[in-house]
Amino acid sequence: MVATSTLKTKSSDCISELVGRRYDQACIDKELDFWDHCLAEPQRNGEVTEDRTCQQLAKMFENCLSRAKKTTLHCSSVLVPEKLTQRIAGEVLRLAACEPCGLRGCVLYVHLDMEKGCKRLERIVYDATVVPTFELTLVFKQDGTAWPSLRDFLFMGTCFAPTFRHVLKLSSGFRLVKKKLYSSSAGTIVEEC
């Protein structure tokens, strides 16, 4: 559906045509209300879209950690500080804002800085149809102040491999490294948060 300022969004002809195409009436009303709201307050449209993108990006980070806990991290659970993935998503959006294709031109490498070195968790391409214009490397940090639980000590060496950690706790800090791919003169930007 395309919203234009000349379209009468709630005309009965328009709605009956959509219903004739088997669209749900409640869905049509909800969509038209959304576009009416966007046309009435155009400056808020960008905020709504950015908020949705931020939430989607935060969910991508959470899914990445969830997949990595069994395969790469060898633990049963990963404890993530509250709002960490949302903060990271906001920083990623900020760094992508000045790029030619925005977030769509981003390749994101996710790593975890652990006691024994840095582990690569995943490579995320936000939009595979766009040629990448920049790379971001996200480095989560392990919380070094966390004491292992008694349960971890009891399980070590019995039924699990010695490298198995029952619970992995992440720090609230992270590092983002940005590298532009389309400019040879552009440097690398490193941000510690």
Side-chain angles (χ1 to χ4, degrees), residues 65-186:
L65 290 169
S66 179
R67 285 186 297 272
K69 73 180 178 184
K70 293 286 185 192
T71 58
T72 310
L73 301 175
H74 306 291
C75 62
S76 62
S77 60
V78 177
L79 300 178
V80 181
E82 188 176 0
K83 305 285 185 189
L84 177 64
T85 55
Q86 288 90 350
R87 279 186 30 231
I88 295 171
E91 287 297 314
V92 168
L93 287 176
R94 187 182 62 76
L95 289 171
C98 60
E99 291 298 319
C101 297
L103 185 60
R104 295 175 56 228
C106 178
V107 175
L108 189 73
Y109 296 96
V110 183
H111 296 267
L112 175 62
D113 192 5
M114 300 180 74
E115 299 156 345
K116 297 177 184 175
C118 202
K119 281 194 176 189
R120 182 175 172 177
L121 303 182
E122 199 166 303
R123 178 180 182 263
I124 299 172
V125 178
Y126 195 79
D127 187 346
T129 64
V130 175
V131 175
T133 57
F134 71 106
E135 292 177 349
L136 284 176
T137 302
L138 166 63
V139 182
F140 286 105
K141 296 181 180 181
Q142 181 180 1
D143 187 354
T145 62
W147 283 75
S149 70
L150 179 60
R151 185 173 42 190
D152 287 341
F153 281 120
L154 294 174
F155 283 136
M156 281 187 181
T158 55
C159 59
F160 299 108
T163 58
F164 182 83
R165 287 186 57 98
H166 198 65
V167 175
L168 178 74
K169 185 176 179 185
L170 298 182
S171 165
S172 59
F174 60 92
R175 183 172 58 244
L176 272 173
V177 179
K178 178 179 178 180
K179 180 181 173 189
K180 293 187 178 194
L181 300 176
Y182 59 89
S183 173
S184 60
S185 63

